[in-house]
Amino acid sequence: MNQINKEKRNIVTFVNNFPASRFTSPLKMTTPQYDLSNTLPPHTLTRLAREWLAEDTPNFDPAGLCVGSHEVEARLLCKTPCSMLVGRPFFTAVFTELSCTVEWAHKEGAQLGPNAVTQTAVVRGPARCILLGERPALNCLARASGIATHCSQLQSIAREAGWHGHVAGTRKTTPGFRLVEKYAMLVGSVSIHRQDLSGMVMLKDNHIWASGSITQAVRDARSVCGFSSKIEVECGSREEGSEAATAGADIVMLDNFKPQELHAAAKLLKEEFPSVLIEASGGVTPDSLPQYLSPHVDIISLGCITQGCPVVDFSLKVQKPVPFPIIFQSK
């Protein structure tokens, strides 16, 4: 956080070179004001919960014998101050499968803290069932909340600079956990980019080398995807970007450019192709993000949103039963 605050102060100098009024883009960042959990189909939540539970308990649960099925209450505690709570639908789906109930103390997307420990929810149900769901549910919540918190910090850097493009995630997600991580990006107010290979055509260097040229690759891809999908081309130079745009690409990704080289190339491409979107990618970090902000760049994608992102520390504590007091009456 200290490093991020330092970068925010450095933004002032950067913005003097690019007045906020010039930070315009065909894509405008917005902060969602609606319940994004409505984007998650109930049957998908059920399927994921069952898969996670089956992975964690594929056969017997010997420890379940120790606790039995009597009703207990467990408190969900957040132990990472100033974190964003994200992942409630996944957490609840796990315990719903186990006939438990979850009562939340905070809304999805709420900022938790600043106390060292924040009670976040109460889970009620059979003791062995709560313990069966504990780890899968906490894994989802910790990962989603960590990503969303990170996204919110990145978005804050871009907003304070007056930039109106999209900070975006990538497909560098955990296998089998992409929906959770992409959902966390949404709640954290960054773009999910493409969900999968079917969502948008992205022609990377390997596609170009295998097909022979950028022009040929774009032509071949367009013959299949038609009008309904955008085509993005990864480019290593302004000249490649110009070829991609001329061939009909909708988005030109300037990959692994140094900030000043990026600004110069993006400016020339925008002047030549005003309707083409420009994306910057490759090596962008939270520390270096301010250096890539430009009125000519519409999208900045960061793999670090999901790779190496810290998680939020949650724990679930079953409450000890309170013994009834024994009252001795004198005769």
Side-chain angles (χ1 to χ4, degrees):
M1 286 299 293
N2 290 335
Q3 185 61 41
I4 289 177
N5 290 333
K6 180 181 177 182
E7 289 296 339
K8 289 179 181 178
R9 291 194 296 270
N10 292 339
I11 287 172
V12 175
T13 302
F14 178 78
V15 174
N16 287 337
N17 297 324
F18 295 98
S21 60
R22 293 182 57 208
F23 278 88
T24 57
S25 165
L27 302 177
K28 187 175 180 62
M29 293 187 303
T30 57
T31 301
Q33 300 297 323
Y34 32 81
D35 185 359
L36 288 169
S37 66
N38 289 325
T39 64
L40 299 170
H43 64 275
T44 300
L45 290 172
T46 299
R47 175 180 58 80
L48 288 172
R50 289 175 177 173
E51 289 175 356
W52 295 329
L53 289 167
E55 176 189 52
D56 207 38
T57 315
N59 40 66
F60 289 113
D61 172 33
L65 178 68
C66 304
V67 297
S69 295
H70 63 284
E71 292 290 314
V72 297
E73 177 179 295
R75 295 180 183 177
L76 176 65
L77 306 176
C78 175
K79 298 182 287 186
T80 305
C82 303
S83 300
M84 180 178 284
L85 171 64
V86 177
R88 284 186 15 165
F90 305 103
F91 187 94
T92 299
V94 168
F95 284 110
T96 297
E97 277 300 298
L98 295 166
S99 300
C100 300
T101 61
V102 182
E103 181 182 344
W104 291 96
H106 301 277
K107 294 181 178 180
E108 184 80 331
Q111 293 289 339
L112 302 179
N115 298 328
V117 178
T118 301
Q119 181 168 320
T120 309
V122 175
V123 183
R124 298 181 179 90
R128 71 184 186 92
C129 292
I130 287 180
L131 297 179
L132 280 171
E134 177 184 10
R135 180 44 51 198
L138 289 178
N139 285 348
C140 293
L141 203 63
R143 183 78 173 142
S145 296
I147 291 173
T149 301
H150 192 43
C151 288
S152 179
Q153 293 166 352
L154 293 171
Q155 194 69 288
S156 177
I157 292 173
R159 250 194 320 262
E160 290 189 19
W163 187 65
H164 296 295
H166 268 260
V167 176
T170 69
R171 283 171 46 248
K172 295 177 181 179
T173 54
T174 308
F177 224 55
R178 180 173 295 174
L179 183 66
V180 176
E181 296 175 353
K182 290 286 189 177
Y183 170 77
M185 293 180 201
L186 280 180
V187 183
S189 297
V190 307
S191 171
I192 63 173
H193 210 286
R194 58 175 177 165
Q195 181 75 9
D196 48 47
L197 288 176
S198 302
M200 181 179 75
V201 180
M202 182 183 289
L203 302 173
K204 299 177 73 67
D205 51 5
N206 286 327
H207 295 95
I208 305 304
W209 296 334
S211 63
S213 71
I214 289 175
T215 300
Q216 186 64 49
V218 172
R219 183 183 296 121
D220 291 346
R222 183 62 72 190
S223 70
V224 177
C225 71
F227 66 89
S228 61
S229 295
K230 284 185 169 64
I231 295 178
E232 178 169 5
V233 179
E234 178 184 279
C235 301
S237 67
R238 184 199 62 79
E239 290 75 18
E240 288 184 356
S242 182
E243 181 184 352
T246 300
D250 303 286
I251 306 170
V252 169
M253 177 198 288
L254 299 178
D255 190 43
N256 289 313
F257 277 61
K258 294 180 179 179
Q260 294 309 314
E261 295 173 348
L262 168 73
H263 300 321
K267 182 177 184 297
L268 291 173
L269 286 170
K270 277 292 189 180
E271 289 174 351
E272 188 177 2
F273 306 97
S275 62
V276 169
L277 298 176
I278 304 296
E279 176 177 344
S281 186
V284 185
T285 67
D287 294 341
S288 65
L289 175 60
Q291 302 172 39
Y292 288 85
L293 303 179
S294 164
H296 310 296
V297 174
D298 305 294
I299 308 151
I300 300 177
S301 54
L302 301 89
C304 66
I305 285 178
T306 49
Q307 290 193 323
C309 178
V311 299
V312 174
D313 186 10
F314 287 96
S315 63
L316 193 64
K317 297 298 181 184
V318 174
Q319 300 305 291
K320 295 181 179 179
V322 178
F324 290 103
I326 300 175
I327 302 175
F328 294 94
Q329 295 180 347
S330 58
K331 295 183 179 179

